[in-house]
Amino acid sequence: MFIPSPNIDGVLAAAIEADLVKAGRTIISNAADVWPNDTGHYDQSLRVKVDERGVVVQTDDPAGHIIEWGSARHQPQAPLRTAAADAGRFEPK
Amino acid sequence: VSAELVVLPDWLAAISEWLRDQSELTDLVDQRIYTELPTTKTFPLARIAHITDPPIASPTHWAVDATFQLDVWGGPKAITWTIAETARALITQRFSGHAWELAAGRVVAGRVRAGGIRRTTDSLTTTGTDADTSSETAGARPRARFDFAVVLHP
């Protein structure tokens, strides 16, 4: 008899974690490529993390949110979203 | 060799023009939907940015999955959110699934996926004119933003 797993989301997340980390590294590489590296250290601030959110790609740069989302004085440069779209299908959340 | 060179329209020009054509939005923000914020600002206002547009079936150069970001600066917080939500509703419910003849070219909008609206207050002061009172104000502006992806082709 088939018994549905009550924690199927957790089972699936664990099963694909290694592939998601690999995809995250591709996004980091793409983001570093689209961002100019002659100033600052943005490319070195990019991380793939596995935590309670799942597998995530993020920047530790203090100006990372302005680089990604812009401000009233800056256009959004969006290196992470551009890199995610280049690596596959980007879905806004 | 293909006889016809396919050059895609300027998606940003097209969608900003389309937004400025929607009465529900212009009732709230007039024509102040920009791709670059002007030096002299009247609030509330909105800015749309084009993030990227990778082809969906490379090497066929015809359809793209384009990502945009819309920012709104207020205005009271409530008006700021209402403008962002009205734009999101228009893009997801009216823009999607139709062909549009625009000055920027003919644009066919496919499936739209919109993200959540983030509401923040700027950490910097911006000077501008309040559209309702016509008085000059300076302060940290409420901001509402969301991004969305849409399949587009000529």
Side-chain angles (χ1 to χ4, degrees):
Chain A
M1 186 174 101
F2 173 72
I3 301 175
S5 171
N7 64 336
I8 188 65
D9 56 335
V11 172
L12 290 174
I16 63 174
E17 183 178 296
D19 284 339
L20 286 177
V21 168
K22 197 183 298 181
R25 289 189 183 127
T26 300
I27 291 170
I28 281 180
S29 176
N30 290 349
D33 285 345
V34 299
W35 186 251
N37 59 4
D38 53 346
T39 57
H41 303 281
Y42 178 81
D43 55 342
Q44 296 163 37
S45 76
L46 299 168
R47 307 271 184 273
V48 178
K49 291 190 174 180
V50 182
D51 57 23
E52 69 280 359
R53 297 170 294 174
V55 178
V56 297
V57 177
Q58 67 180 51
T59 170
D60 296 335
D61 191 305
H65 63 295
I66 294 174
I67 292 170
E68 186 67 31
W69 295 101
S71 71
R73 295 178 186 167
H74 303 89
Q75 285 276 338
Q77 303 299 314
L80 286 175
R81 285 176 288 171
T82 302
D86 288 348
R89 187 175 178 142
F90 171 67
E91 297 289 338
K93 295 283 186 186
Chain B
V1 177
S2 172
E4 186 181 356
L5 181 67
V6 177
V7 178
L8 302 176
D10 180 343
W11 309 121
L12 178 61
I15 199 160
S16 62
E17 175 191 345
W18 185 87
L19 287 168
R20 287 190 297 270
D21 280 346
Q22 307 309 306
S23 61
E24 296 91 339
L25 206 48
T26 55
D27 285 349
L28 296 166
V29 74
D30 295 327
Q31 290 290 304
R32 296 186 302 277
I33 301 169
Y34 305 104
T35 56
E36 290 277 352
L37 292 183
T39 305
T40 304
K41 301 174 181 64
T42 298
F43 291 94
L45 51 76
R47 177 184 70 196
I48 185 157
H50 182 192
I51 305 299
T52 186
D53 64 339
I56 61 170
S58 186
T60 304
H61 191 72
W62 183 65
V64 301
D65 195 5
T67 303
F68 299 89
Q69 177 180 325
L70 187 93
D71 291 90
V72 180
W73 283 275
K77 283 183 180 177
I79 294 294
T80 309
W81 182 86
T82 299
I83 294 167
E85 167 54 14
T86 302
R88 184 169 65 167
L90 286 164
I91 290 164
T92 55
Q93 297 170 44
R94 187 177 295 165
F95 185 61
S96 174
H98 296 282
W100 302 96
E101 300 291 343
L102 301 162
R106 183 173 187 267
V107 170
V108 181
R111 193 167 76 90
V112 173
R113 294 95 65 205
I117 296 175
R118 272 78 164 183
R119 304 175 73 169
T120 56
T121 299
D122 275 352
S123 55
L124 53 84
T125 296
T126 312
T127 302
T129 303
D130 184 290
D132 285 339
T133 64
S134 298
S135 60
E136 189 162 307
T137 59
R141 305 282 173 182
R143 177 187 184 187
R145 63 168 165 80
F146 68 95
D147 55 0
F148 62 96
V150 54
V151 174
L152 296 169
H153 65 81

